[in-house]
Every structure is written in structure tokens, then in C-alpha cells.
Amino acid sequence: MTHDDSLTRLMEDFHASIEIDRRLYKADIRGSIVYARGLERIGVLTAEECQAIVTGLTEIEGEIERGEYALTRDLEDIHTAVEKRLIEKIGPAGGKLHTGRSRNDQIALDERLYLRETIDGVIGQSTQCQSTLLHLAEQTMDIIFPGYTHLQQAQPIRFAHYALALLFALERDKGRLRDCRTRVDVMPLGSGALAGSAFPIDRAFLARELGFADVSPNSLDAVSDRDFIAEFLSACAILMVHLSRACEDVVIWSSAEFGYVRLHPRLVTGSSIMPQKKNPDAAELLRGKSGRVIGDLVALLTVLKGLPHAYNKDMQEDKEPLFDAIDTVTICLQVFTTIWETIEVRTERVASSMDDAMLATDLADALTKQRIPFREGHGIVAALVNEAARRGCSLRDLSPADYRRVSDRLDESVIARLTFAESTDKRDLPGGTSRRAVVEQIEQARRLII
Ligand code: ARG
């Protein structure tokens, strides 16, 4: 091999993106078929040429699908690969397809077509996950569960209230994806390399045929813009952070120390050395995967931040983070949904772990009924809680004398009458954890996801 040959090979290897962007072949061919029709309408292609191109492209799609057309590195990228094969198949007419088009507007189109469909898929998966959470909420309405702040028992909640919290977070994720979709749904073809096309192609026709809501308003912007990918990645990163936080709850609750939930045996794994272990690996890995998707977003923004207008080869690096995020979010949503489909809440264990101190707020609330300012009541109850902690007993175990020592306004009968379920039912404003408020949220959720 001459030095020149080896340089050619090195550059081929370096520039090739075909192993990555082969995923875009359907979008690429779909875009090209419509573009050929656009060229025919302005007389650049005859009807026969257009037909030959459309037939050729359709066949190439089949060839790629069946693995008959080997997409090798020397073909550089998917656009070059398809065009080369087209010319091989139908002759010089195939070489007319790229008239007035550049790979710069072509790749922007392909990515938009691909992403539009992907977003619909991720939204659909999120909705499925919400259905699972809704079902879980319906089943766990009457499970009173410790609500935590600072990882310390704070106030009792209904488990359903927790399941709905996850559901509503996912609803915002879907909102971000839908919002991003409106900006993906813009047709860039006709922008050429950067300055627009010198051929009077009907861009509205192209948009209509490809189902786009809009046509990009500025060719320079159209080939420079990867915001739509950054937006998608950012929506995915936030979604993954939601999944990750919920997984953290699961990891904590499934530990021996908490023991509030039991995960499906398929979702936990043993240790290679410690026979007793049942590690919540699925939830942990999911938590870890959020780091990947955050990384994908950061990778793309970093690639973009210093680029001059318009297309620069750096932009080829947008695909790996995009596809990585899509694959990661897709499998993570499946696993996440499975976690909630199969989780078992160990109600007895939960009930026995509930600390009466979680009724402290209710005690202080009760004092306000005697016109004691809440801040003062807070101090009285804090003194009682401290006393109970000092003796290692519960609030209920303190004697009438203990109560009297702290305040003459509060007696032990108040705590005797308080239950965790009642405590939740007092939080009856919209959004609260009372049975009624939770039923209301379930209805609201149901309306959202059907
Ligand atoms: N493979 C390229 C990419 O993904 C397609 C656009 C190439 N354009 C160019 N002028 N080299 O970014």
C-alpha cells in the first residue's frame, strides 16, 4: 500500500458515518422519493426518469432491509450509499436526483423525519407507563405509607399519591416532547447547501407530501439548526432524571432496612459471592442510564457551541448521542414500567415502620383549634417528640403527666384520637393526599391519558 493509499483508507475510516446513520435509510429514501416527484413537477426529471428513480429507491429500501446491500465504510454515509446504488441500478438518470439538493438539507430532513416518528413512540411508551401507574394508584389507594423529606419520615401519605406523583411528572415529560415535536415538524428541503436552491422546487408540495406542518423560513438556519435534537435530548434527559429518582426510591424501599417493597424476582439479581443478596440491579442500572442520556445532551451541545454557520462536519457527531438517547430511553421506559407493574408493597412491614412522630404536624394543627399560634404549637409538640425520643418510646406512650408537663393546653387524648389515615384525609385540598383528593387526581390522570 502506498502512503497515499493508506491516507485514503485512514480518511475513509475517519469520515465514515454509515455504521451510525444507516438507521436513517428509510427516512432518507422516503425524502428522496418525494424530492424526485418535486423535481418532476418542475421539469428537471421526465415522468419516466422520476418513475425509474422511485422504483429504484423502493428496491434499494428492500435491499437494505434484507441486508442484501452491504453498507460498507467506503460508501461514507447513507446519502452517498443510496445515491450510488441508485445510479448503479438505473443509470445516469439516478444522478439527476441530487439536483438542487445538498447532503446538508438532506441530513436535516432525514433526522427530522426519523425523530418525528421516534417522538411519537416515546410519547406512546410514556403513556403506557402512566397507565401502569394509574392502575397501581387505584390498587394502593388505601395503603398508608410514610412520606419522606430529607429521607426522614415526615407525614403519612397514600401510596397512590406517590404513584400519581410519578404519573404527573411523566405528563410534563410528554408535554416537553410534544412541544419539541412541533419544532421538529418543519421541512428543511430546498435549503440546498446553505443559500437555498437555484431550482424552483415547490417546498410546500414537499412539506405536504412528507406530512410536515411547516417549511423552514431561512435556508442558512435550516442547515445549521440542530436545536430540535438538543431539545429532544434535553426532554429525554429530564425524563430520565424522573425515572432515576423513582428508581432511587425503589432501591431504598427494597433494602432490608426499609423492606417496604418487594421487587419481582426477575428484576433482582444475586451476588456472585454473597448468597443472601437480592440486589435491585434493574432499578440501579436504570438510575445509572440517566447519566448516559445527560451525557448525550452535553455531548451534542458541546459539539454545537463553537460552530460557525452553516453546516460543518462536526455536526455529523450529532447522531450517536441522538440514537444512544433514543435506545436508552426506549428500553428504560420498558423496564421502568415493568418495575411498577410487578412491585409488591409489603403493607404489614410498612404499617409497622410508621413512626407516630409523623402525627406531630397534626398535633400542632390541633392546637391551632385552641387558638394557639402554630409556631407556639410547633414548639410544644417538638418538646413532646424530644421527650419521646429521649425515652426511646412513641408519642402515644407518653403519660398524661408528660403531656401536662409540656403544656396545659394539650392532652394525651388528642394523640390517642389521631390515626395515620385520618391524617392523610385532613389534607383534602386539590392535590393533597386525602382519599377524596387522590380519587380526584386519579380522575384527572385518567382524562389525561385516554
Ligand atoms: N454524513 C453527513 C452528516 O451526517 C451528511 C452531511 C454531509 N455534508 C457535507 N457537506 N459533508 O452530517
Side-chain angles (χ1 to χ4, degrees), residues 293-317:
V293 178
I294 293 167
D296 291 330
L297 170 65
V298 174
L300 178 71
L301 292 174
T302 311
V303 165
L304 293 178
K305 75 170 273 292
L307 295 187
H309 279 72
Y311 180 84
N312 301 267
K313 186 78 171 188
D314 319 43
M315 288 159 80
Q316 180 164 291
E317 287 292 306

Side-chain angles (χ1 to χ4, degrees), residues 17 77 79 103-104 107 311 316 319:
S17 59
D77 60 22
H79 325 296
R103 282 185 296 163
N104 299 352
I107 184 61
Y311 180 84
Q316 180 164 291
K319 282 165 216 64

Side-chain angles (χ1 to χ4, degrees), residues 362-378:
D362 297 276
L363 273 184
D365 286 350
L367 286 171
T368 63
K369 303 238 160 70
Q370 303 176 37
R371 304 208 164 277
I372 299 179
F374 177 79
R375 185 53 56 220
E376 221 173 282
H378 183 282

Side-chain angles (χ1 to χ4, degrees), residues 129-140 163 167 340-341 449:
C129 183
Q130 287 179 308
S131 302
T132 296
L133 291 167
L134 180 64
H135 182 72
L136 181 65
E138 287 162 346
Q139 304 299 305
T140 55
L167 182 153
W340 298 110
E341 247 160 29
I449 64 181

Side-chain angles (χ1 to χ4, degrees), residues 61-309:
E61 185 175 348
E63 289 172 8
I64 298 178
E65 209 157 273
R66 294 187 296 274
E68 289 163 15
Y69 179 28
L71 298 174
T72 49
R73 277 203 168 172
D74 55 304
L75 293 167
E76 191 183 332
D77 60 22
I78 190 66
H79 325 296
T80 315
V82 171
E83 185 178 334
K84 185 158 178 268
R85 181 75 186 126
L86 183 67
I87 296 171
E88 248 168 52
K89 283 172 83 81
I90 71 164
K96 293 188 179 181
L97 173 61
H98 212 53
T99 312
R101 188 174 68 168
S102 156
R103 282 185 296 163
N104 299 352
D105 55 352
Q106 191 177 355
I107 184 61
L109 174 75
D110 293 2
E111 293 185 311
R112 284 172 183 274
L113 280 173
Y114 186 87
L115 189 51
R116 205 174 51 179
E117 228 175 273
T118 300
I119 291 176
D120 294 339
V122 177
I123 291 177
Q125 272 196 298
S126 308
T127 305
Q128 269 177 21
C129 183
Q130 287 179 308
S131 302
T132 296
L133 291 167
L134 180 64
H135 182 72
L136 181 65
E138 287 162 346
Q139 304 299 305
T140 55
M141 176 78 77
D142 294 314
I143 298 183
I144 310 294
F145 200 81
Y148 285 80
T149 63
H150 312 269
L151 204 52
Q152 303 197 36
Q153 291 200 359
Q155 288 174 345
I157 57 170
R158 290 172 186 277
F159 192 84
H161 196 212
Y162 172 82
L164 289 161
L166 305 187
L167 182 153
F168 287 115
L170 275 173
E171 188 59 26
R172 293 193 299 281
D173 292 319
K174 283 164 63 180
R176 271 181 284 273
L177 288 165
R178 282 192 210 107
D179 188 43
C180 159
R181 192 192 191 282
T182 62
R183 278 177 293 278
V184 174
D185 201 13
V186 176
M187 208 287 303
L189 219 51
S191 300
L194 74 162
S197 171
F199 295 83
I201 193 105
D202 181 352
R203 300 190 66 209
F205 165 80
L206 300 177
R208 223 173 24 251
E209 291 294 297
L210 292 167
F212 280 102
D214 237 323
V215 165
S216 59
N218 176 299
S219 61
L220 200 57
D221 180 39
V223 292
S224 300
D225 174 16
R226 292 292 182 275
D227 301 6
F228 62 100
I229 299 181
E231 276 190 58
F232 173 73
L233 293 180
S234 120
C236 287
I238 298 174
L239 184 151
M240 287 297 299
V241 167
H242 285 152
L243 306 194
S244 180
R245 289 184 68 174
C247 283
E248 172 67 2
D249 291 328
V250 167
V251 169
I252 292 172
W253 294 342
S254 66
S255 68
E257 286 76 4
F258 281 72
Y260 295 169
V261 298
R262 198 175 281 127
L263 293 169
H264 190 277
R266 290 272 85 77
L267 298 181
V268 298
T269 54
S271 152
S272 58
I273 175 169
M274 298 165 282
Q276 85 281 16
K277 293 290 287 254
K278 283 197 172 44
N279 300 325
D281 280 20
E284 290 172 24
L285 188 54
L286 221 152
R287 198 174 55 184
K289 295 277 185 192
S290 65
R292 254 185 112 93
V293 178
I294 293 167
D296 291 330
L297 170 65
V298 174
L300 178 71
L301 292 174
T302 311
V303 165
L304 293 178
K305 75 170 273 292
L307 295 187
H309 279 72

